[in-house]
Amino acid sequence: MTRKLVLLIFVFVALTVSACGTIATPEFSEEAKGTQAALAVTSEHLTAIAPTATPTYTPLPPTETPVPPTETPVPPTETPLPTEVPTETPAPTETPAAGASGANAVTGDPVNGEALFNEFRSEVNFACSLCHYVDQEVQLIGPGLLNVSTRAETRVPGESAVEYLHNSIVNPSAYVVEGYPDMLMPQIYAQIFTEEQIQDLIAYLFTLRS
């Protein structure tokens, strides 16, 4: 039974007593007693299952993100310094000075020699290039100078090409090629050119090869 039915029963009993005018202890039938007992059990059950105070939800603290352990940096491996191997500086090879001394080495600067060969010299009133071809062997005024370093090796026995060319510049009358008059070559180039410039001229003459 429901609570409403129980209340109706109590109201009915009260009205009956009031109508009779006599207060009497109500007597319930066995069925009513069973109804009351069932009502009491139902009330206890409803009380038991009734929700209690709303539980307070306590949020769990956020889980901290674990910080990865800091790796201990490995110190860089020191690169071993190369072992210095002392090297002996070879003694410079002595290069004998070319020219009248009898040495055979070509030590001059051919680029500067070419410039000197084509330079006008007021002391003789012309340049070397005015009297000599450099790209052929035929005579212009003086002999053509193509391959002159090769021919110079055979002109004077015992004299190198460097020596011969040096003498032909500073002392041209020391050896006169057959077919050419003496004194055709100026005799003052030893005073006009320095020894270094003469070596440059010789180095240039060695480049005139076919």
Side-chain angles (χ1 to χ4, degrees):
M1 292 184 173
T2 64
R3 288 187 179 184
K4 288 184 179 181
L5 180 59
V6 174
L7 290 176
L8 289 175
I9 294 171
F10 277 107
V11 172
F12 176 76
V13 172
L15 290 176
T16 303
V17 173
S18 176
C20 294
T22 303
I23 302 172
T25 303
E27 295 181 6
F28 299 99
S29 63
E30 292 298 327
E31 183 180 356
K33 290 180 181 179
T35 300
Q36 286 181 335
L39 180 60
V41 173
T42 301
S43 178
E44 290 178 1
H45 177 69
L46 292 175
T47 301
I49 66 174
T52 57
T54 303
T56 303
Y57 174 74
T58 304
L60 294 176
T63 305
E64 295 183 0
T65 303
V67 179
T70 304
E71 296 183 1
T72 304
V74 179
T77 305
E78 294 184 0
T79 304
L81 296 176
T83 305
E84 294 184 0
V85 179
T87 55
E88 296 182 1
T89 304
T93 303
E94 293 184 4
T95 302
S101 62
N104 300 323
V106 178
T107 60
D109 178 8
V111 175
N112 188 52
E114 182 178 9
L116 293 171
F117 186 85
N118 292 288
E119 181 182 17
F120 177 83
R121 305 297 305 197
S122 60
E123 296 90 343
V124 292
N125 206 32
F126 53 81
C128 299
S129 58
L130 183 65
C131 297
H132 300 276
Y133 288 125
V134 295
D135 57 353
Q136 50 188 310
E137 297 183 7
V138 298
Q139 181 181 3
L140 178 57
I141 296 174
L145 298 179
L146 183 65
N147 297 318
V148 66
S149 61
T150 303
R151 298 196 305 273
E153 293 177 350
T154 62
R155 291 300 189 191
V156 178
E159 194 170 73
S160 69
V162 172
E163 291 175 312
Y164 176 81
L165 292 174
H166 187 279
N167 288 335
S168 295
I169 294 171
V170 301
N171 186 19
S173 293
Y175 180 82
V176 180
V177 178
E178 185 179 353
Y180 290 90
D182 190 13
M183 305 300 291
L184 186 64
M185 180 84 166
Q187 306 289 311
I188 61 172
Y189 281 131
Q191 291 76 44
I192 294 175
F193 296 121
T194 65
E195 180 60 28
E196 182 179 359
Q197 289 174 322
I198 293 172
Q199 295 301 323
D200 292 345
L201 283 166
I202 294 172
Y204 172 61
L205 294 177
F206 264 77
T207 67
L208 304 178
R209 298 174 183 269
S210 57

